[in-house]
Amino acid sequence: MKTVSRVSLLIWVFLLLTVAQLHAAKAPKKSKKDEVVTISTSLGDIRLILFDQTPLHKANFLKLAKSGFYTGTTFHRIIQNFMVQGGDANSKDTDPTNDGQGQPNEATIPAEIRPELQHKFGAVAAARQGDFVNPTRASSATQFYIVQNHNGTPHLNAAYTVFGQVISGLEVVDKIAAQPKNDSDRPTTDIKMTVKVEKLKKKKITALYGYKYE
């Protein structure tokens, strides 16, 4: 009986170790690199990183940036001590009245609102339609805003998807927000952007921009 018990115990331990190894094998390895997005404007460059906790928004933004979609779009809505907004395809045309309205039948991205991702100074978040027509709070596929209020905009927490953070160029965000504008909050002079993506080691990103990964 003792021999049977020992065999059973050994089998049980073997099974536990096998299951543990399988779980370890399935766990994805964290990448040692990340992609830095640079938004270049006539007022300077803004650099940002996108969060892994919001994979749908990160993948979508990187795809658009790499394809050249954002090149020629503008920051079409600016409110000092609040935020600056851009990324609408309509801002590429010569009609300023349709900026911010989005394209007909434009796709949306499911909300990825996470409590740990807050609307602090420099947070990058997705614009969206209001709750009355968009109760699921799905995001615009293209339009985004950057929080310019130095104290953040906490009243927007849990309502919009925050998916990135400015790591360099906060002073440029301030300059954009301070530009002359009309009654619709549209800058009187177009603030066009060019967007590029560069993959760097996370250690280098920390060394260059002081951003610390958790």
Side-chain angles (χ1 to χ4, degrees):
M1 293 293 290
K2 290 183 179 179
T3 302
V4 173
S5 297
R6 287 175 181 173
V7 171
S8 298
L9 180 60
L10 287 172
I11 292 173
W12 180 245
V13 171
F14 175 77
L15 289 173
L16 287 175
L17 290 172
T18 301
V19 171
Q21 287 174 346
L22 287 172
H23 278 293
K26 289 181 180 179
K29 292 183 179 180
K30 287 188 176 181
S31 174
K32 294 183 179 181
K33 293 185 177 182
D34 201 358
E35 290 171 293
V36 176
V37 178
T38 300
I39 301 175
S40 297
T41 74
S42 59
L43 299 172
D45 292 344
I46 303 167
R47 290 183 175 83
L48 51 97
I49 57 95
L50 307 178
F51 299 137
D52 290 334
Q53 299 99 306
T54 54
L56 299 178
H57 286 71
K58 180 172 184 174
N60 177 74
F61 194 95
L62 290 175
K63 179 181 178 181
L64 293 175
K66 291 175 182 178
S67 72
F69 170 86
Y70 284 119
T71 297
T73 62
T74 72
F75 283 99
H76 63 269
R77 182 170 177 242
I78 57 173
I79 303 176
Q80 196 162 20
N81 295 319
F82 184 31
M83 60 90 222
V84 298
Q85 182 174 330
D88 184 14
N90 290 341
S91 64
K92 294 182 180 182
D93 63 29
T94 57
D95 180 8
T97 64
N98 67 6
D99 291 1
Q101 295 179 15
Q103 297 289 297
N105 303 315
E106 187 174 80
T108 58
I109 306 172
E112 294 181 296
I113 298 170
R114 298 181 62 94
E116 73 271 23
L117 303 179
Q118 304 285 301
H119 280 78
K120 61 183 181 180
F121 180 32
V124 182
R128 66 174 178 85
Q129 291 184 307
D131 288 357
F132 61 98
V133 294
N134 180 27
T136 64
R137 296 177 170 173
S139 301
S140 164
T142 66
Q143 293 190 54
F144 65 94
Y145 60 91
I146 302 173
V147 176
Q148 186 268 326
N149 190 308
H150 289 211
N151 295 317
T153 55
H155 63 285
L156 297 181
N157 290 338
Y160 294 78
T161 296
V162 174
F163 64 96
Q165 177 65 37
V166 172
I167 59 174
S168 174
L170 288 170
E171 72 284 355
V172 178
V173 178
D174 283 338
K175 288 179 183 178
I176 293 172
Q179 295 305 297
K181 61 182 184 177
N182 62 22
D183 293 338
S184 299
D185 295 321
R186 185 185 187 280
T188 53
T189 300
D190 285 351
I191 305 173
K192 294 185 178 183
M193 67 179 82
T194 300
V195 181
K196 69 176 184 179
V197 180
E198 182 181 15
K199 182 173 282 189
L200 297 171
K201 290 183 178 179
K202 290 180 178 179
K203 287 185 178 180
K204 186 170 184 179
I205 293 172
T206 299
L208 288 173
Y209 307 114
Y211 181 78
K212 296 181 180 179
Y213 289 88
E214 294 183 359

